[in-house]
Amino acid sequence: MDSFLSKKADLPCAALAPLVPDANGTAGGEPWFDLIELMFFAYRDFVGDADQLLENFGLGRAHHRVLHFVNRRPGLTIAELLDILKITKQSLNRVLKELLDTDYVVSHPGANDRRQRQLFPTARGKALALDVARLQSKRFSRVFAQLPEGARSDAVDFLLAIVDAGERDKVAAMVASDRTAAHAGTKR
Amino acid sequence: MDSFLSKKADLPCAALAPLVPDANGTAGGEPWFDLIELMFFAYRDFVGDADQLLENFGLGRAHHRVLHFVNRRPGLTIAELLDILKITKQSLNRVLKELLDTDYVVSHPGANDRRQRQLFPTARGKALALDVARLQSKRFSRVFAQLPEGARSDAVDFLLAIVDAGERDKVAAMVASDRTAAHAGTKR
DNA sequence: TGAAATATGTCAATATTGCTGACATAAGGG
DNA sequence: CCCTTATGTCAGCAATATTGACATATTTCA
C-alpha cells in the first residue's frame, strides 16, 4: 500500500503525471473509467436476474428489495427498513402494501413497542426470496469458478470498502449475521 | 481453483452439506446473501456520488449515463449507445435531446453512413463528465488505499466476471480501450 | 395525568426513467 | 426504384421515486 501511494510522490514533472487519481480525486490523474463502467455493467446484469424472475409474479425490483430484507431479517421494523433502503416511507408503503395484500409478507405490532410494525415473510415470501437469491448466487458461482482462490473474500472486502464510511459498520454487521436460518420467522 | 470446488466433493453426508451454492445454484447450499446485499449497498453509495453532483445541473442518472459514454467514446452512434445502455430509442431520445439542447453533447451525420448520428461531448460536456468521473474515482481511491496490493486488478476481474457471458468480450474491450485521451472529440 | 415525541399510515401532486405501438423521414444498397 | 436500415417523434402507460400535509396510535416524560 505504501508503494501504491508513493508512485506519485516520486514523479519528477507534471508531464509524467500519475495514471491514477489523486487521493482527493480532483487533480491531474485519469479517472478510473474501467471500474466506473464495470460497476454499471456488472450491476445491470446482476439485477437482471432478479428482474426477469420476478416479472413472472407481477413484482418489481422495489418489491424484491423489501422482500429480500424482510426475509433476511425477520421481525424488521418499518424504520429499520427505511434506513436500509434509503427511500421515503411513502415509497416503501406502496410496495409493502402490495406485498402484504398478496401474502408475501405479514406485519405484527412490535413486541416491545406496539407502535412499531414488525415484518415477517410468509412461507410463500420465503420461498420466492430464496428462489431469487439462489438465482443470483448461481451467477456468483460461475464468477468464482473462473477466479483464483481468495476471490470471494476479496470481493466482499472490495464491495464493503465502497460503502459510505458512516454506513460501513452497520452494513458489515448485517451482512455478517445470518439471521435467516437462525430464527425461522415464518408466520401466518 | 481446484480446491475451491473439491471442498464439496469430499463431503461424506448430506448433513454436512456445502456452505456454498451448488454450481447450478438451485440445490441445498445457502445462497450468498453477503455478496447479494453488498452489491446493493455498494452500488447504492457509488451512484449516490454522481446523483448528488448532477442534481445541481438539473440532470438525472439517465443523462449522466449517456454523457459518460459519449465522453468515453466520442463519435458513438445512436445504435451503439442503445446497445450499451440496453434501453429503447424512445427512452434514450428524451434524455439525449435534453443533452443536445443544453449543449452538453452535439451530433453530426455519420462520416461513412450519413443516416447515422455520431455523438460528441462539447467542452462543457467533457468537463461535467470528468467532474463526475473524478468524484467516483475518489471513492475508489479511498477503497484501494485500505485494501492490499492487487485489489484493484482483482476488482476489475471480479466485476467483469459478473457480466453476462455474451456481453463480456464487448464490455472488456470497451473498458480496456482508453479512447478519451486519444481522440479528443470535443466539437462545436 | 396530560402534553410532547415517536412510529406509522395515507392522500395528493409531481418528477424521472423506463416501456409499447405506430408512423415519418432520410439515406444506403441491390 | 424498391427494400432495408438508422433515426426521430408522438401518444399513452407503468414503476419508482419525491415533497408536503395531515391522521392515528402509542410511548415517554414532566
Side-chain angles (χ1 to χ4, degrees):
Chain A
M1 201 187 86
D2 195 12
S3 72
F4 171 80
L5 286 175
S6 63
K7 271 182 193 164
K8 120 183 167 200
D10 296 340
L11 286 168
C13 71
L16 296 175
L19 294 174
V20 299
D22 288 328
N24 61 19
T26 57
E30 275 287 293
W32 286 333
F33 289 117
D34 51 355
L35 281 165
I36 292 170
E37 290 169 12
L38 282 170
M39 284 292 286
F40 166 72
F41 290 117
Y43 193 76
R44 181 192 68 183
D45 291 350
F46 168 71
V47 297
D49 286 343
D51 288 348
Q52 206 182 327
L53 202 162
L54 287 158
E55 79 176 73
N56 305 328
F57 297 83
L59 299 177
R61 196 176 293 183
H63 302 90
H64 172 232
R65 287 198 288 255
V66 171
L67 178 59
H68 173 92
F69 285 109
V70 168
N71 184 56
R72 270 279 283 177
R73 304 192 54 167
L76 203 67
T77 67
I78 300 289
E80 288 169 332
L81 201 40
L82 290 176
D83 183 59
I84 289 171
L85 300 175
K86 308 284 187 208
I87 58 175
T88 60
K89 72 178 169 183
Q90 294 91 328
S91 293
L92 172 60
N93 225 269
R94 181 173 26 85
V95 294
L96 180 56
K97 192 150 50 178
E98 287 171 22
L99 288 172
L100 292 166
D101 288 347
T102 51
D103 198 42
Y104 288 105
V105 170
V106 287
S107 95
H108 297 294
N112 301 326
D113 184 340
R114 288 196 353 213
R115 290 171 300 180
Q116 298 179 331
R117 304 298 147 126
Q118 289 192 286
L119 304 171
F120 301 87
T122 63
R124 195 168 174 236
K126 289 184 80 130
L128 179 53
L130 209 52
D131 276 351
V132 178
R134 281 201 277 243
L135 183 58
Q136 293 179 315
S137 295
K138 198 167 140 185
R139 181 176 293 266
F140 285 123
S141 288
R142 287 193 300 266
V143 164
F144 296 119
Q146 73 184 76
L147 291 180
E149 188 67 29
R152 190 187 172 285
S153 159
D154 291 347
V156 168
D157 292 344
F158 167 64
L159 293 173
L160 189 56
I162 292 177
V163 173
D164 281 350
E167 297 278 308
R168 203 169 300 150
D169 287 354
K170 197 168 31 177
V171 169
M174 161 172 312
V175 157
S177 74
D178 218 32
R179 297 193 174 204
T180 311
H183 2 10
T186 308
K187 297 243 175 163
R188 198 192 210 168
Chain B
M1 199 186 90
D2 194 13
S3 72
F4 172 81
L5 286 174
S6 65
K7 273 182 194 164
K8 122 184 170 197
D10 296 340
L11 286 167
C13 72
L16 295 176
L19 294 175
V20 299
D22 287 330
N24 61 22
T26 56
E30 274 287 293
W32 286 332
F33 289 116
D34 52 354
L35 282 165
I36 291 170
E37 289 169 11
L38 283 169
M39 283 293 287
F40 167 72
F41 290 116
Y43 193 76
R44 180 194 69 181
D45 291 350
F46 167 71
V47 298
D49 286 342
D51 287 349
Q52 206 182 327
L53 202 163
L54 287 158
E55 78 176 69
N56 304 328
F57 297 83
L59 299 176
R61 196 175 292 186
H63 302 91
H64 173 232
R65 287 199 286 257
V66 171
L67 179 59
H68 173 94
F69 285 109
V70 168
N71 183 56
R72 271 278 284 177
R73 304 192 53 166
L76 201 69
T77 67
I78 301 289
E80 286 169 334
L81 201 41
L82 290 176
D83 184 57
I84 290 171
L85 299 175
K86 308 282 187 210
I87 58 176
T88 60
K89 72 177 171 182
Q90 294 91 329
S91 294
L92 172 58
N93 226 270
R94 180 159 23 87
V95 294
L96 180 55
K97 193 151 48 177
E98 288 171 21
L99 288 172
L100 292 166
D101 288 347
T102 50
D103 199 42
Y104 288 104
V105 170
V106 287
S107 95
H108 297 294
N112 301 326
D113 185 339
R114 288 196 352 214
R115 288 172 304 181
Q116 296 180 333
R117 304 297 147 131
Q118 289 191 287
L119 304 171
F120 300 88
T122 63
R124 197 170 172 232
K126 287 184 82 134
L128 179 53
L130 209 52
D131 276 351
V132 179
R134 280 201 278 243
L135 184 59
Q136 292 179 315
S137 295
K138 197 167 140 186
R139 181 176 293 266
F140 285 123
S141 287
R142 287 193 299 265
V143 165
F144 296 119
Q146 73 183 77
L147 292 180
E149 190 66 29
R152 190 187 172 285
S153 159
D154 291 346
V156 169
D157 292 346
F158 167 64
L159 293 173
L160 190 56
I162 292 177
V163 173
D164 281 350
E167 296 277 310
R168 202 170 301 148
D169 287 354
K170 198 169 25 176
V171 168
M174 160 171 313
V175 156
S177 74
D178 218 33
R179 297 193 175 205
T180 311
H183 0 9
T186 309
K187 297 243 175 167
R188 198 191 211 176

